[in-house]
Amino acid sequence: MAASSDSVEKITGALEESLSGLGFEVHPLKVGWYNAVLPPSLALSYPDDTLAVVVFSTPSMFEKAFLPFLEGQAFQGVSDPIDQCVRQTVSSCFPGQQVEVIYDYELMPSRRPRFLAQTAAHVSGGAFYYQQSDIIEPPWTDRKMFGVCVHPRFGGWFAIRALLVFADVRGGSDMLQPLPVDCVPSREGRIKLLEAFNLHWQDWSYRDIVPPVETYSQRQRDYFSCPPSERFALLRSWDLIKDTQQACVYVCV
């Protein structure tokens, strides 16, 4: 069905009502905005005006959603607990609707991600995706520098978790593409950002490239700083996972 901007706002408003209190943000987009900046091999197989929504986790998600998820013993011990928490939380938001949910950790048989999370974040206007191509005369001639998204309020203290595609909803002509906020407008700032992200990512300094309104709590930093193979033991030491539960904890930010 074709949807007016009011209808799109109802859908995104319902998602926001369900998710914002748990530390998530939602940003709507048209599939065509995403496909327009990618080669056909990476395009989503939907009409250009199909409504999609990209879901971010903000710093408060850890305390508002993840820890209660573990405390409620909802963790099943067969995959990463953060991924399980996000999947359970997001999938409960649209009963009865035809929605394809693509999570950030999902891969195609070719081992490519099922969607390019940072591209989706950029075209939705939710975060600016800074790449080497955004720098005039980049100083690196001998290496590829990977890009990174910066949120206008949280800097690098957020994560892109999922893309929801509402297969039977069409955004109308009054649904206009927003531009992401250019938080790092200078060449020097962009060089500093990409070098911090690519060369010193362990110290997390790239996340503070703009002053954030909120960052990860110390407990959350402890969790994500912990080697993946040791995260189960850490959660058990916090009495959030029982000895009878088995975990397979992967890299997650």
Side-chain angles (χ1 to χ4, degrees):
M1 63 178 177
S4 68
S5 59
D6 287 343
S7 299
V8 170
E9 287 177 2
K10 287 181 181 178
I11 292 172
T12 56
L15 288 171
E16 287 175 353
E17 184 176 354
S18 298
L19 295 174
S20 62
L22 298 173
F24 294 91
E25 280 188 358
V26 298
H27 298 274
L29 63 144
K30 291 182 180 179
V31 166
W33 304 347
Y34 175 87
N35 287 347
V37 297
L38 295 173
S41 61
L42 297 176
L44 296 172
S45 299
Y46 292 93
D48 283 349
D49 57 354
T50 302
L51 175 67
V53 176
V54 62
V55 179
F56 297 171
S57 63
T58 72
S60 66
M61 183 276 291
F62 194 82
E63 278 74 24
K64 291 182 176 180
F66 180 58
L67 296 184
F69 168 80
L70 295 175
E71 289 164 354
Q73 299 186 22
F75 175 53
Q76 298 300 311
V78 294
S79 62
D80 178 79
I82 287 280
D83 292 345
Q84 280 194 45
C85 172
V86 171
R87 184 168 60 248
Q88 176 175 294
T89 304
V90 170
S91 63
S92 66
C93 294
F94 33 79
Q97 290 182 289
Q98 185 180 351
V99 185
E100 180 181 10
V101 185
I102 311 173
Y103 295 101
D104 64 300
Y105 53 85
E106 292 185 308
L107 301 176
M108 297 187 291
S110 64
R111 305 302 294 171
R112 287 180 175 178
R114 289 192 61 207
F115 83 105
L116 299 184
Q118 298 198 102
T119 298
H122 185 93
V123 300
S124 75
F128 199 111
Y129 183 23
Y130 292 97
Q131 303 178 72
Q132 189 167 335
S133 58
D134 294 313
I135 299 173
I136 299 172
E137 297 181 355
W140 316 286
T141 59
D142 59 345
R143 68 176 298 150
K144 175 179 175 60
M145 303 294 278
F146 293 98
V148 62
C149 275
V150 176
H151 190 286
R153 298 180 61 241
F154 300 113
W157 300 96
F158 80 110
I160 306 157
R161 297 297 181 183
L163 183 71
L164 319 180
V165 184
F166 292 79
D168 59 351
V169 179
R170 304 287 181 262
S173 59
D174 52 354
M175 182 178 173
L176 303 178
Q177 183 173 1
L179 294 176
V181 177
D182 185 358
C183 312
V184 190
S186 72
R187 177 178 181 271
E188 294 74 15
R190 294 177 180 184
I191 291 172
K192 178 181 178 182
L193 170 66
L194 292 193
E195 288 186 343
F197 178 67
N198 284 268
L199 306 178
H200 310 290
W201 59 269
Q202 298 96 330
D203 67 12
W204 292 5
S205 60
Y206 78 90
R207 299 180 188 265
D208 291 318
I209 193 67
V210 297
V213 299
E214 185 181 6
T215 66
Y216 290 177
S217 64
Q218 187 57 55
R219 200 177 204 190
Q220 186 169 185
R221 295 183 193 214
D222 291 343
Y223 179 79
F224 288 126
S225 295
C226 186
S229 61
E230 299 175 12
R231 289 179 182 172
F232 173 64
L234 179 64
L235 293 176
R236 187 169 54 189
S237 74
W238 292 347
D239 200 28
L240 292 173
I241 288 181
K242 306 303 180 184
D243 289 338
T244 54
Q245 292 174 286
Q246 299 297 316
C248 184
V249 184
Y250 301 100
V251 176
C252 183
V253 296

